[in-house]
Amino acid sequence: MSDNSPDRSPLRLGIAGLGTVGIGVVKIIRRQAQLLEDRAGRPVVITAVSARSKDKDRGVDLSDYAWEDDAVDLAKRDDVDVFVELMGGHEGTAKASVEAAIAAGKDVVTANKALLAHYGQDLALAAEGNNVSLRYEAAVAGGIPVIKALSEGLAGNEITRVIGVMNGTCNYILTQMQATGRGYNALFDECAELGYLEADPNLDVGGIDAGHKLSILSSIAFGTQVNFSAVELEGIQRIELKDIEHAAEMGYRIKLLGVAQMTGRGLEQRMSPCLVPDTSPLGQLEGGTNMIVIEGDAVEQIILRGPGAGEGPTASAVLGDVMDIARGFTLPTFGQAATTLRPVTGVKATKPAPFYLRMELFDKPGALAKVAAVLGNAGVSIDRMRQISHAKTSAPVLIVTHKCTRDGLDTALAGLAETGVVDGPPVAIRIEEL
């Protein structure tokens, strides 16, 4: 007769990366050791760690743990059951160490959205082939348990759409522009000083970080292989204070919004600035907070809101995955066996929507007529238009279109560039229906 009694031996962690999140995990395990043991039914302990510098003062005593200079060596240690990867980056040591851990039969917990966005399918196949877990709650939306919500709580739903704000830095910049009247450049510099930006700031403001997260959620929601290369990306760099103010006058807020939905043509994934109603939950989202809206055939709509980054929230998500492993709970990486995930064609959005346009027109007779003609020829009709008083050689003009396709709008934008009356490329922002 087999012994089905639960494993009471300590679950031994090796943590690679001792930055904000890694130290946050250490702090929780030291502070809540008894609570974790009571909830897991076994002790959760750290046996070894790794980081770039052993001598750096991190404000926590690490002398109880073995040190490895190389994270790959940490991943292979016999006294490590779970390899916790908190280094970041989708190449180099992060990728090599996760692969080494899986090959050595270790469970893996990571906060690395870039790694999963680029190599999620290969890593899922490897993990499931070696009968180990690859968990990553902390990779998407910080402390919000959206991975568990999609893969577990909503497993009985056919998901129809995932939409949300997934980068706290961008939301902080956009909301502070409106709250303080400061411009994008000043707030970008402030975020750099506060440490809110990635080492490569374009990962944040260019929408890449949020696009990584969207591609991961899409895989779970729609049963597809992760396809980050198919995410349409547009950052917030061209948003000016005047756009924030004009949107507010019309009852909207500007958000960097991720949208994923399956269509008859393929999977639509886009991460771009959008106007949303200021009375909507997304419109009221302030500061660095994240929000994910999930729509399913049975549940209809649920909204998850919480801190999208930071030591405590992200470390909390890491520990959630660790506790599942400690309890013996296993789940396929993306909610279903990796061998059943479908390759999918990425497609651009074709559902018509209204758009906000801002452009500078040279002060020439007939300029507005030329603009209207180009829009009309592309099948884009004007709902409202406003010319703002000016004291320059060019005049700001705001246009809100009736619903049109993005292809039609792109045709119109290309035509406007050839009229000779538009000073620079127009700003075009989709008005999203929620």
Side-chain angles (χ1 to χ4, degrees):
M1 183 175 178
S2 63
D3 182 7
N4 293 320
S5 60
D7 186 355
R8 301 293 184 183
S9 62
L11 184 73
R12 303 167 299 177
L13 311 184
I15 301 177
L18 296 171
T20 300
V21 180
I23 291 299
V25 172
V26 174
K27 289 178 180 177
I28 292 177
I29 290 174
R30 293 168 73 96
R31 185 176 69 246
Q32 302 289 8
Q34 189 60 54
L35 177 68
L36 296 175
E37 181 175 351
D38 291 343
R39 290 179 173 175
R42 59 193 296 198
V44 176
V45 301
I46 300 168
T47 53
V49 296
S50 177
R52 291 179 181 175
S53 170
K54 184 177 182 179
D55 299 326
K56 180 179 178 180
D57 181 7
R58 297 176 170 88
V60 174
D61 182 9
L62 302 174
S63 61
D64 291 341
Y65 316 131
W67 180 274
E68 292 285 357
D69 291 320
D70 188 341
V72 174
D73 291 335
L74 175 65
K76 297 177 180 178
R77 286 179 65 103
D78 291 337
D79 60 354
V80 167
D81 303 311
V82 180
F83 178 65
V84 182
E85 186 277 303
L86 303 173
M87 297 175 288
H90 67 279
E91 300 289 359
T93 304
K95 180 172 181 284
S97 60
V98 168
E99 290 173 336
I102 292 171
K106 318 282 189 186
D107 295 312
V108 174
V109 174
T110 180
N112 195 334
K113 61 268 188 182
L115 180 65
L116 292 162
H118 286 276
Y119 298 109
Q121 178 66 13
D122 291 342
L123 292 173
L125 288 169
E128 292 166 30
N130 280 13
N131 198 31
V132 298
S133 291
L134 174 59
R135 307 297 296 262
Y136 50 91
E137 185 66 69
V140 180
I144 303 174
V146 63
I147 303 299
K148 290 179 75 69
L150 268 175
S151 57
E152 298 175 40
L154 300 178
N157 284 258
E158 178 182 357
I159 304 301
T160 53
R161 185 168 69 156
V162 177
I163 182 170
V165 171
M166 303 175 197
N167 183 276
T169 300
C170 288
N171 201 56
Y172 176 84
I173 290 173
L174 293 172
T175 55
Q176 284 296 298
M177 286 173 73
Q178 179 157 359
T180 68
R182 299 166 67 195
Y184 169 85
N185 290 334
L187 286 161
F188 178 92
D189 292 341
E190 178 182 304
C191 285
E193 293 171 3
L194 293 172
Y196 290 175
L197 292 170
E198 299 274 359
D200 176 3
N202 192 51
L203 291 173
D204 284 313
V205 297
I208 298 169
D209 168 84
H212 287 152
K213 298 169 186 176
L214 182 67
S215 69
I216 293 168
L217 295 181
S218 295
S219 178
I220 305 170
F222 304 111
T224 59
Q225 296 178 14
V226 179
N227 190 359
F228 169 67
S229 63
V231 180
E232 295 182 74
L233 292 175
E234 181 184 347
I236 65 169
Q237 299 97 320
R238 295 189 63 208
I239 303 298
E240 296 184 13
L241 184 59
K242 63 184 75 174
D243 298 313
I244 300 286
E245 294 169 345
H246 298 325
E249 291 170 1
M250 296 186 294
Y252 291 99
R253 303 285 295 274
I254 298 178
K255 301 291 179 183
L256 180 68
L257 204 64
V259 179
Q261 53 193 353
M262 186 63 72
T263 72
R265 299 169 299 107
L267 179 61
E268 175 189 326
Q269 303 176 96
R270 49 187 166 86
M271 182 64 61
S272 61
C274 292
L275 271 70
V276 300
D278 58 12
T279 56
S280 67
L282 283 165
Q284 295 177 17
L285 192 68
E286 299 289 339
T289 309
N290 283 194
M291 180 178 287
I292 313 293
V293 180
I294 303 171
E295 297 172 352
D297 63 337
V299 77
E300 296 184 356
Q301 184 185 86
I302 67 166
I303 298 173
L304 303 172
R305 176 186 182 278
E311 177 184 299
T314 311
S316 168
V318 171
L319 263 297
D321 284 339
V322 168
M323 292 294 282
D324 273 350
I325 293 170
R327 291 162 169 159
F329 177 71
T330 61
L331 190 74
T333 304
F334 293 104
Q336 64 185 66
T339 54
T340 69
L341 295 172
R342 307 186 310 277
V344 68
T345 301
V347 296
K348 291 187 176 182
T350 58
K351 184 179 179 181
F355 285 83
Y356 160 95
L357 302 178
R358 174 177 57 80
M359 65 192 77
E360 296 278 336
L361 297 189
F362 290 118
D363 199 357
K364 297 180 179 180
L368 282 173
K370 288 185 177 181
V371 168
V374 167
L375 292 174
N377 290 337
V380 178
S381 63
I382 297 173
D383 179 29
R384 40 191 157 147
M385 180 165 55
R386 175 184 169 196
Q387 183 171 337
I388 300 172
S389 59
H390 63 287
K392 304 183 297 182
T393 58
S394 60
V397 173
L398 306 178
I399 293 173
V400 175
T401 74
H402 287 290
K403 289 184 178 181
C404 64
T405 65
R406 181 70 207 207
D407 282 347
L409 184 68
D410 288 342
T411 298
L413 294 176
L416 289 173
E418 300 174 359
T419 61
V421 301
V422 180
D423 184 8
V427 171
I429 307 175
R430 184 185 182 99
I431 301 176
E432 191 66 43
E433 297 178 340
L434 302 176

